[in-house]
Amino acid sequence: MQLATEDNITELAAARWATAHDPRTAEVLSALVKHLHAFAREVRLTEAEWMAAVQWLTRTGQVCDDKREEFILASDVLGLSMLVVQMNHRLDPAATPATVLGPFHIPGSPGLEFGGDMSDGLPGTPLFVHGTVRDLDGKPVGGAVLDVWQADTDGLYESQVAEADEARLRAKYTTREDGTYCVRTIAPLGYSIPMDGPVGELIDRTDISQFRPAHIHFLIDEPGYEPLITHLFQEGADYLDSDVVFGTKQELVVAFTEREPGPTPDGGESASPFLVAEYDFVLQPKG
Ligand code: BEZ
Ligand code: FE
């Protein structure tokens, strides 16, 4: 019989969790135990601090529901989400880089035509985002679905707007045979992550800026290619170099160019000024 002491408890607990039936689960859980213990030893965790952490985790779980993902938010602000993204998407430098999914993606967005307006009359500066989806050899990818979502000009996503009863600032666009796509929307603004929960509580105790730079989210999951979850950020936007979730990448920063009334990228006409962002997504073949 070997009873636990301060010196041997890490070894005992790691060995116990290494008995998980699935080898990967055994590897992950025993490593987790070792790192948790090393952390507690390093900071000499007090019982009060341990209890405060447990209560913080409890509150984080309690505010989660089908619309609020406080654990994802916690992972995002700790830089863990972005670390996992970077390790799992070591793409060719010519491919469009991935960034965080974030807590606001809603599956099942409605399909819109080339140039269809996903802002549907919401206030904001009209913006066209257009370009081509290609593979690494420059070949256009026709029929690819771009799942697009963004915040409104108050920085709120659909799931944060109680009265939203239909798709709001989100839609799916399918590329034409020549790989081209065109999204019509309103210009996004920088926004604060939700600060009224346990994550905000922690951020309020630091000098961390709680803001994200203006961006639009894209998810392209085309058979034969690595799924791409990414954003396009507005060039010159505030917070590009202090993104609270570490999600900004230089390759994803795009000029939003002002245009006078006249022809629009979808082949139509605008009677008022608008913005245009042009971006070609480059997909990496699977494997
Ligand atoms: C977002 O861009 O939607 C987002 C990402 C991470 C945390 C909060 C929001
Ligand atoms: Fe966002």
Side-chain angles (χ1 to χ4, degrees), residues 73 76 100-104 149 157 191 193-194 212 215 217 231 245:
L73 190 61
D76 293 341
V100 283
L101 173 68
F104 297 121
W149 70 104
Y157 283 84
Y191 62 81
I193 57 162
R212 297 217 64 206
H215 63 273
H217 296 252
H231 308 349
V245 303

Side-chain angles (χ1 to χ4, degrees), residues 207-266:
D207 289 338
I208 294 172
S209 152
Q210 78 230 40
F211 295 97
R212 297 217 64 206
H215 63 273
I216 301 179
H217 296 252
F218 292 82
L219 188 161
I220 308 177
D221 190 3
E222 174 65 6
Y225 297 92
E226 293 294 336
L228 174 65
I229 294 173
T230 196
H231 308 349
L232 295 182
F233 296 90
Q234 180 176 15
E235 189 178 86
D238 290 338
Y239 318 117
L240 282 171
D241 57 2
S242 63
D243 186 354
V244 62
V245 303
F246 309 93
T248 308
K249 294 196 165 188
Q250 189 55 49
E251 302 92 314
L252 301 174
V253 176
V254 184
F256 285 20
T257 309
E258 284 176 28
R259 293 274 174 84
E260 292 305 316
T264 52
D266 59 339

